[in-house]
Structures are given as C-alpha cells and as structure tokens.
Amino acid sequence: MTSTKPARRFSALHDFLTSEAAGGVVLMAAAALALIVANSPLSTDYFGALSAYVGGLSILHWINDALMAVFFLLVGLEIKREVLDGELSTWPRRVLPGLAALGGMIAPALIYLALTRGSPELMRGWAIPAATDIAFALGVLSLIGSRAPVSLKIFLTALAILDDLGAVLIIAMFYTSDLSAMWLGAAAGALAVLIALNRFGVERLPIYLAIGAALWFAVMKSGVHATVAGVLLALTIPLRPSPARPDDADSPLHILEHGLAKWVAFLIVPIFGFANAGVSFSGMGLAALADPVPLGVAAGLFVGKQVGIFATVALAVKMKWADLPAEASWRQIYGVAVLCGVGFTMSLFIGLLAFPASPMLQDEVKIGVLLGSILSGVGGAALLATSAREPRRPM
C-alpha cells in the first residue's frame, strides 16, 4: 500500500507558497534570522560578508542596488497594470485609495518631523515612515479569510500600490546624490529606445530586459538611485488591455510580472530583509527607543499611518467624494489603516538612502521600523480578526 503522506506534505507546501501570506511570513522569518545572527557569535562574519567587495561593489550594495531594482521592476509592473487594466483604471476607483495613500504619507512624515525638529540631518529621514509593505499587509489580510469582504482587499491593494508609487517618486526626487549630466543623458537615451519599442509594437521581452540592464547601469552612474530604473523599465513593458480580454495572460507585462512574482517574494525581498534588518543590540538599552529617529519612525508608522489614512477616508466619505468599499465596516477600515503601518521593506530602503554615511542612524532606523511594523501588524490583525461584516454607521 502506498503512503499518501508525501502528497499531503506537497499539497501543504504548495498551498503555502501560493498563499498571499507566504511572502510576508518568509520576509519576517528572514528579518528575525538577521536579528539573531547580528546578536550572536556569527555577527562578525555576518557584517563582514555584507561589506565584502565583488566586482567593484560590496555585497550589500549589490543587494540594495541590483536585486532591489528587480523588486522595483515588479512594483512598476503592478502599478502599470492596475492603472491601465485593474482596480485603478477609472477615476472613481482611484479617489478613495488615492486620498487614503496621500493622507497615509503626509501624517507619518509630519510626526517624524515634529520629533526630529531642530536637526537638519535627522529630518532627512522624513519619508521613512511614509511607506507600506504591500506583501505583508495583504498577507495579514488574507489570514482573516471571509470575515473581510473582497472589496476591502481591493481597497488595500490599490492603497498600497499608490503608496509604493509615492515612495518611488520620493526616492527619485529627494534621495539623489551629485548628478552626472552625461549619465543622465545615457539613461534618457535608453529610456527613449524603450518607449519607441513600445510605440512600434515590439513585444519581445529579452530586448526590453537587455536595454533595461543598460538603463540600470546608466541610472546608477547618474546619481539617481539605481532602483528607479526598475520602475522606468516597467512602464515601457507592453500591456495590451481590451474589453474582451481584460487580463491577457499572453501580454508581455503579465508574462514578466508572473515570472518575477515568486522570485521577488521568496528570494529577493527575504535576502534584502536578511541583509538590512540585522542590528546589534550590544550596549543598547531601552532608552534608545526614545531617541528621535527610532521614536519618530515607530510613531510615524504606528500612529501616523492609522491617523492619516482613517481621517482621510472619513473626510472623503463625509464630503461624498467617495463611498466606502462595499460591505466593509468602519472597524475594518480602521484595521486596514493600522495594518498599513507595516512599512518594512520600503521603509528600511528609504532609511538607507536617508542616512548613507551613518551606520548608527541606520541602526536606529531599523529599530524604529521593526517596532512600528510589529505594533501595526499585530494591532491591525487583531482589529480585522475581531471584526465582522457589520452594518455601516454614518460618521
């Protein structure tokens, strides 16, 4: 008699890998492992390996500039698909998540600035708590199951996509080094070729990816952060939406997005988390949490996100600019607002850009991001898990 245990194990593994929660779970595991290693006898090897140079760049530089460019490529593909052919394809669909994303970026930044006022150096980190980790937020929401209506997931997805778009614009506009006109020109030339390929109907992905690699190199040399090249490339990848085939699986954009999704969720983002979440607590007491940077980041994520998003949604509904997601209660909207304070991946990334020459401040950013994200994830999950589809009450 043959055993069915391997099949069940395979089925369980398959179910996990295809679930929306899986990416967030793997990311959190990688971050936890980084903290353990950074505070163990292996810490010297851990930090030494990240600072080792290969091909002219450190391992950490390769991760943050090259691997994360692929992450931003996927973000750009998701943004383009949602805007042209998805939940953000019409203005009525964009209003509520758009306003919520704006409020959810402004309030955390203001809280951070208030707590770091008087120090121009520290104020450079104002954008750190403004971002949402879409993979983890959607993963937590998926664990709630049928208690959360589908419309709530759509709202969170649209909000997080627009939040990511805002973070990309912030990186491009505010976190650049000395610009090189020559390399900017080279990047503009590569981008022009990509746009021309799109306009002439070329749909061969290898051509786009090859020119995209040249674009990445030029952007890296130009002084603009190299990951911006990933988004620029994504915006040129062809998508052929039509009423008859709204989700064309043969479209180059869909092919590339589906091809990258698992690699980004289960390899690139966990590697980034492992490489950047490690912080040594040696000689650091609880009093460090009250320092301006960790306090500003944590308060911005946990307090600023929920206040900014929920207040903006309430105002939009009160003024009749938009309606609540169908069947969603105010408690669920508030739970999503709290959940959006999980800013792990993008917040850590912006923190590295804000304080590139200060390992101490980078460690403080990591502490603030971890604290704010944990509070937001647990708080948001608790609110959503205890909510039900209750009748809406007017504000």
Side-chain angles (χ1 to χ4, degrees):
M1 181 182 294
T2 59
S3 172
T4 58
K5 288 185 178 180
R8 284 201 297 268
R9 281 199 292 267
F10 175 80
S11 177
L13 178 63
H14 179 270
D15 290 344
F16 172 74
L17 293 177
T18 54
S19 73
E20 292 173 319
V25 171
V26 174
L27 173 57
M28 289 298 104
L33 181 61
L35 286 172
I36 293 170
V37 172
N39 291 278
S40 75
L42 297 173
S43 61
T44 302
D45 295 329
Y46 170 77
F47 291 111
L50 291 175
S51 60
Y53 272 73
V54 175
L57 297 175
S58 69
I59 296 295
L60 186 61
H61 201 163
W62 278 112
I63 292 171
N64 292 342
D65 278 29
L67 281 185
M68 286 303 283
V70 180
F71 167 78
F72 276 86
L73 170 59
L74 181 61
V75 169
L77 293 172
E78 292 173 342
I79 291 172
K80 179 173 180 178
R81 174 176 51 77
E82 292 293 343
V83 169
L84 294 184
D85 198 30
E87 298 305 325
L88 299 173
S89 58
T90 63
W91 281 109
R93 291 181 176 181
R94 298 169 189 164
V95 172
L96 190 64
L99 291 174
L102 185 61
M105 299 184 79
I106 292 174
L110 291 177
I111 288 177
Y112 179 90
L113 289 172
L115 292 172
T116 58
R117 66 186 184 279
S119 174
E121 180 189 12
L122 300 185
M123 291 172 71
R124 274 183 52 83
W126 62 272
I128 296 170
T132 293
D133 193 296
I134 183 172
F136 191 81
L138 286 173
V140 171
L141 186 60
S142 73
L143 295 175
I144 308 304
S146 60
R147 281 170 289 187
V150 174
S151 61
L152 200 65
K153 174 187 171 183
I154 293 172
F155 169 71
L156 176 58
T157 302
L159 192 164
I161 288 287
L162 291 171
D163 193 289
D164 281 349
L165 176 59
V168 170
L169 293 175
I170 287 171
I171 291 170
M173 295 171 63
F174 297 102
Y175 294 107
T176 58
S177 54
D178 295 333
L179 297 178
S180 165
M182 180 185 76
W183 285 109
L184 278 175
L191 182 60
V193 172
L194 289 167
I195 293 172
L197 289 172
N198 183 295
R199 298 296 293 176
F200 283 107
V202 177
E203 296 193 357
R204 295 186 62 185
L205 275 174
I207 297 176
Y208 285 92
L209 296 178
I211 299 174
L215 174 65
W216 172 83
F217 186 78
V219 171
M220 181 179 68
K221 290 290 188 178
S222 73
V224 178
H225 199 272
T227 51
V228 174
V231 179
L232 294 177
L233 171 60
L235 298 181
T236 67
I237 302 297
L239 173 67
R240 308 298 178 210
S242 67
R245 303 180 70 187
D247 191 20
D248 188 351
D250 297 325
S251 176
L253 186 145
H254 283 86
I255 292 172
L256 184 57
E257 183 181 359
H258 294 156
L260 290 177
K262 290 289 190 293
W263 290 100
V264 169
F266 297 110
L267 183 65
I268 291 175
V269 171
I271 287 176
F272 172 83
F274 180 74
N276 290 283
V279 55
S280 174
F281 297 119
S282 177
M284 186 182 300
L286 291 176
L289 296 176
D291 288 347
V293 170
L295 183 60
V297 172
L301 286 171
F302 182 57
V303 179
K305 275 291 184 182
Q306 60 177 285
V307 170
I309 292 173
F310 190 74
T312 307
V313 170
L315 177 64
V317 173
K318 179 87 172 172
M319 300 298 294
K320 300 188 185 304
W321 297 335
D323 294 326
L324 275 185
E327 300 184 10
S329 67
W330 281 107
R331 182 185 178 89
Q332 289 172 330
I333 294 295
Y334 184 58
V336 165
V338 175
L339 189 60
C340 283
V342 179
F344 195 83
T345 307
M346 201 72 82
S347 293
L348 284 177
F349 190 79
I350 294 176
L352 297 174
L353 300 182
F355 308 117
S358 177
M360 183 188 73
L361 289 178
Q362 289 181 5
D363 283 349
E364 291 192 347
V365 167
K366 294 173 185 179
I367 293 170
V369 170
L370 289 169
L371 179 59
S373 295
I374 290 171
L375 290 174
S376 299
V378 172
L383 282 166
L384 290 167
T386 56
S387 67
R389 297 188 187 186
E390 56 196 46
R392 299 182 192 174
R393 296 181 179 88
M395 293 296 291

